[in-house]
Amino acid sequence: MPGLLRGVLSARPLMRSWGITQRAGITSKPAKAPVGASETVIGLTAFMVSILAPAGWVLANLESYKKRD
């Protein structure tokens, strides 16, 4: 087991030499096109429906789920 761990730990510097890097896509510039109010409302509505609809379905049908054998 210790030999396996030594092999894994010694392989880490090799991964760096291959050029594997992680970079975040963070920018400090303003958006190219401003987002309008209607687009914001549509996006937030779609997000809330996609999250809340399945949870509402489960809660509405909770009794039928309890009765299953």
Side-chain angles (χ1 to χ4, degrees):
M1 186 70 171
L4 178 66
L5 291 176
R6 263 186 256 132
V8 169
L9 292 175
S10 66
R12 288 187 70 97
L14 294 176
M15 290 174 59
R16 289 189 193 136
S17 66
W18 290 343
I20 298 173
T21 58
Q22 295 179 353
R23 294 187 180 185
I26 300 172
T27 61
S28 60
K29 299 177 184 176
K32 292 180 181 177
V35 179
S38 61
E39 292 174 338
T40 303
V41 169
I42 291 170
L44 289 175
T45 302
F47 180 73
M48 286 190 307
V49 166
S50 66
I51 297 297
L52 295 176
W57 176 267
V58 170
L59 289 175
N61 296 309
L62 197 57
E63 293 300 324
S64 65
Y65 291 134
K66 287 181 181 179
K67 291 179 184 178
R68 286 189 182 176
D69 293 327

